[in-house]
Amino acid sequence: MKKSVLVITLALWMCAPAYAHGVGFRQSDMKAVTLEFFYSTGEKMSYREARVFSPRDGKFAAQTGRTDEQGRFAFIPDTPGEWRVIVRDEEGHQCEAKLVISDELSAADERASASQSNSSLPQGTELLIRALLGVSIIFNIAMIIRWRSGHAH
Amino acid sequence: MHISEGILSGSVLLAGWTGTSEGIAVGLRKTDTSRIVRTALLSSAFFLASLVNVRIGPSSTHLSLLAPMGLILGWGVFPAVFTALLLQAVLFHFGGLLVLGVNTFIMGTASLSVYLLFGRAVREGRSKSLTVCMSFLAGSVAVLLAAGLAGLCLGLTDSNYLNTAKVLVIAHIPVALIEGVVTAFVIMWLKRAAPEFLS
C-alpha cells in the first residue's frame, strides 16, 4: 500500500511540469492573406516549402510552412510594407510573391505581383511562342556554326 | 532538377562554371560540324522536355532525356545542355543565370558519364534484351547521378542542406525508373529507324 502511494505520488510529481505548460487556443479575427501557388502548366504546387519574409527582415523568414494540397498558403501580416512569400520544390522551381500591405493591414488592399517564378510564365499561346522561339534560336545557332564552318573551308 | 538562384555559395558557383567551361571547350572541339544539326535537335528536345510534367503522387517532375543525349552526343552534350539551360533560364525562369554553370555541369556530367559507362554496350548491343537493359540502366543512372551531384552541390554550400540533398535523391528514384523506360524506348527506336544516330 505504501509502495503504491509512493509510486502514484512520484508519477503525479513527474507530470507536474506538463500541467505548467498547458496549451489552449482561441479564434482570431485577424485577416489573413491567402495565396495560391501553381506551375506554368496550371498544376498546383502542393505540399511545397513556403517561407514568409516581413518588411522588417528580408533575410530570416518570419514564418515557414508548407502549402496545402491545393497549393494554398496563408499568413497574417502584422506590419505594413512589402512582404515576400517564397515557395519552392525539391527540383529548384521557385515562386516568389511580393505583396504590399497597407497601413490598415487590410488583406483586401494587397497588391500581389508574382516574379521570378514559373507562375509568372504565360500559358497557352505565349508559352507556345516562347517554346518555339527557344527551338528557333537553337537551330539558328547551329546553322550559323555550320555556315561559318563551310566558309572556313 | 535545376538548382535555383541564390542558394549555392560563391565557391560552388565558381567551380561549376569552371567545370562547365572545360566541358563546353572539349565538347565543341570534339563535335564535328556535320553533327551540329543532331546536337541542335537534341538540345531542342532537352529544352522542351522541361515543359512536359510527369505526375508522381502529390508531386510532379519532368523528363530530362539526359541519357539519350549523352549516348547520342558524347562530349557534345555540354554545349547542347548549356544552350538549352540558358534558354530555359531566360524564357521560362528555370534555374537562373548565375547558377547556370553549376546546372550545366551537373546535367552535362551525368549525361557524359552514361555515355562513358554504357555507350559502347548500347551501340554494339549484342542482343536486343541486353541493349534494352543497358539503355534502361543508362537512363536511370543519369537521373540519379544528376540528383546526387545536385545534392553534393547543396551539401558543399551548407551542411544544413544535407537533408534536402537526401530528399532530392530519394524523390528522383521514381523519375529514374521512368527515365530508364523512356531511354530504352528511344534507343530501341533509334536502332531500328535511325541507327546512324548512335554511331
Side-chain angles (χ1 to χ4, degrees):
Chain A
M1 181 65 186
K2 273 184 184 175
K3 272 185 185 175
S4 305
V5 171
L6 186 65
V7 168
I8 291 166
T9 311
L10 269 173
L12 286 171
W13 178 72
M14 285 168 79
C15 289
Y19 287 114
H21 292 89
V23 290
F25 72 91
R26 62 172 170 268
Q27 197 166 353
S28 169
D29 55 1
M30 289 181 77
K31 273 190 177 175
V33 174
T34 310
L35 300 168
E36 277 183 29
F37 294 89
F38 49 87
Y39 292 102
S40 57
T41 53
E43 188 190 345
K44 295 174 170 63
M45 293 184 82
S46 313
Y47 306 119
R48 300 303 183 196
E49 180 198 322
R51 288 175 299 152
V52 182
F53 295 91
S54 77
R56 281 193 297 259
D57 189 348
K59 209 171 175 186
F60 294 100
Q63 185 185 335
T64 57
R66 280 189 183 272
T67 56
D68 69 4
E69 191 185 4
Q70 299 300 316
R72 288 181 298 233
F73 185 79
F75 71 102
I76 300 170
D78 58 359
T79 184
E82 188 181 80
W83 287 73
R84 290 185 303 128
V85 183
I86 299 175
V87 170
R88 68 178 179 203
D89 65 15
E90 292 85 4
E91 290 163 34
H93 300 128
Q94 179 170 298
C95 183
E96 180 177 332
K98 288 179 183 168
L99 304 111
V100 179
I101 303 296
S102 66
D103 284 339
E104 293 82 34
L105 302 181
S106 164
D109 289 343
E110 86 243 8
R111 286 185 288 114
S113 61
S115 64
Q116 294 291 315
S117 67
N118 292 328
S119 61
S120 67
L121 272 178
Q123 294 185 21
T125 316
E126 202 171 335
L127 184 70
L128 185 69
I129 289 169
R130 286 189 189 207
L132 287 173
L133 175 66
V135 173
S136 161
I137 291 170
I138 292 170
F139 275 95
N140 273 296
I141 293 169
M143 287 306 122
I144 289 168
I145 292 171
R146 226 182 140 155
W147 178 72
R148 281 177 66 97
S149 155
H151 266 257
H153 292 299
Chain B
M1 216 176 299
H2 304 68
I3 297 179
S4 298
E5 206 80 280
I7 292 177
L8 299 178
S9 65
S11 51
V12 174
L13 289 175
L14 192 65
W17 274 107
T18 309
T20 293
S21 309
E22 294 280 335
I24 291 173
V26 176
L28 287 175
R29 213 167 43 238
K30 290 202 172 194
T31 306
D32 194 73
T33 42
S34 62
R35 290 164 66 101
I36 205 81
V37 175
R38 190 180 301 181
T39 309
L41 189 70
L42 283 155
S43 185
S44 302
F46 179 78
F47 168 74
L48 292 175
S50 63
L51 300 176
V52 182
N53 276 288
V54 179
R55 195 163 178 84
I56 306 164
S59 177
S60 78
T61 186
H62 54 75
L63 292 175
S64 65
L65 303 176
L66 288 174
M69 280 185 86
L71 294 170
I72 294 167
L73 298 177
W75 274 94
V77 79
F78 268 96
V81 166
F82 177 77
T83 313
L85 287 180
L86 174 65
L87 288 168
Q88 283 181 358
V90 173
L91 296 172
F92 301 140
H93 306 291
F94 291 166
L97 291 176
L98 273 176
V99 80
L100 179 63
V102 173
N103 282 332
T104 307
F105 180 76
I106 288 170
M107 299 195 201
T109 305
S111 204
L112 179 68
S113 300
V114 295
Y115 165 73
L116 297 173
L117 287 170
F118 304 101
R120 197 169 168 189
V122 169
R123 272 193 308 275
E124 290 176 359
R126 305 219 167 142
S127 70
K128 195 178 167 183
S129 53
L130 186 70
T131 311
V132 170
C133 281
M134 286 296 144
S135 307
F136 176 83
L137 272 178
S140 303
V141 168
V143 171
L144 292 177
L145 209 55
L149 282 170
L152 183 70
C153 290
L154 292 172
L156 285 173
T157 294
D158 192 333
S159 55
N160 290 328
Y161 282 134
L162 280 173
N163 271 339
T164 311
K166 278 182 206 161
V167 171
L168 189 74
V169 175
I170 293 165
H172 276 85
I173 291 172
V175 186
L177 297 175
I178 295 170
E179 196 87 18
V181 173
V182 171
T183 306
F185 269 107
V186 169
I187 296 299
M188 292 317 288
W189 180 78
L190 281 176
K191 282 214 153 217
R192 206 176 54 246
E196 67 274 10
F197 262 64
L198 294 166
S199 62

